[in-house]
Amino acid sequence: MVIEIPHLAALPHAAAALLAVAKERRVFLFYGEMGAGKTTFIKAICEHLGVGDATASPTFSIVNEYTSPLGPIYHFDFYRIKSEREAFDMGYEEYFYSGNYCFVEWPDKIAGLLPPDAVSVRIGISPDGQRHCEVSFH
């Protein structure tokens, strides 16, 4: 499935569409080059889920926890980790298998640890700046 995001105003619709197609799945893997809009899309998804907290990329902390009416939501950024061992040390399994929403940026850094039922979201940029998200299931 492909979700088109022609402009920022379309993000709420795109967030709702992604959550609808994912159904009960809770772990989302966001792929895309630097500046593709991974964090911006995750922010829109969190807003759709009722997060009132400010959302930002957890580049230095690796994981941010947000409060929502559905329970905690976890936002990961593995860009700066050097090995999967670092994810082990932070207890990634407790997050990924908690039943709570987990949004993961740079999942390729921990490819061997990803849950088999995760939703992959590959964000591409068209020459005119529009985003398109290819959604697939493992």
Side-chain angles (χ1 to χ4, degrees), residues 17 33 36 39 50-51 62 76 82 95 97 102 106:
E33 62 189 57
T39 302
V51 171
I62 300 179
F76 299 85
K82 307 257 187 288
Y95 297 103
Y97 298 100
C102 295
W106 303 102

Side-chain angles (χ1 to χ4, degrees), residues 7-8 15 34 52 68 81 86 95 109 129:
H7 43 74
L8 287 175
M34 189 76 70
S68 85
I81 71 165
E86 290 179 59
Y95 297 103
K109 297 280 198 154

Side-chain angles (χ1 to χ4, degrees), residues 28-132:
F28 295 76
L29 313 175
F30 291 83
Y31 298 88
E33 62 189 57
M34 189 76 70
K38 296 179 295 294
T39 302
T40 302
F41 193 22
I42 291 169
K43 179 179 179 178
I45 297 165
C46 287
E47 287 173 0
H48 184 79
L49 293 171
V51 171
D53 307 333
T55 56
S57 180
T59 302
F60 295 101
S61 61
I62 300 179
V63 62
N64 285 347
E65 180 178 337
Y66 309 126
T67 303
S68 85
L70 302 171
I73 293 176
Y74 303 108
H75 179 187
F76 299 85
D77 184 334
F78 288 112
Y79 181 74
R80 296 195 182 280
I81 71 165
K82 307 257 187 288
S83 71
E84 289 182 351
R85 183 85 218 149
E86 290 179 59
F88 265 111
D89 292 346
M90 66 170 284
Y92 82 95
E93 290 175 306
E94 291 179 36
Y95 297 103
F96 287 2
Y97 298 100
S98 67
N100 295 307
Y101 281 100
C102 295
F103 302 112
V104 183
E105 295 185 51
W106 303 102
D108 48 316
K109 297 280 198 154
I110 59 161
L113 307 177
L114 300 172
D117 62 343
V119 179
S120 290
V121 181
R122 296 186 185 281
I123 303 175
I125 307 171
S126 300
D128 61 4
Q130 295 184 46
R131 297 330 195 243
H132 52 276

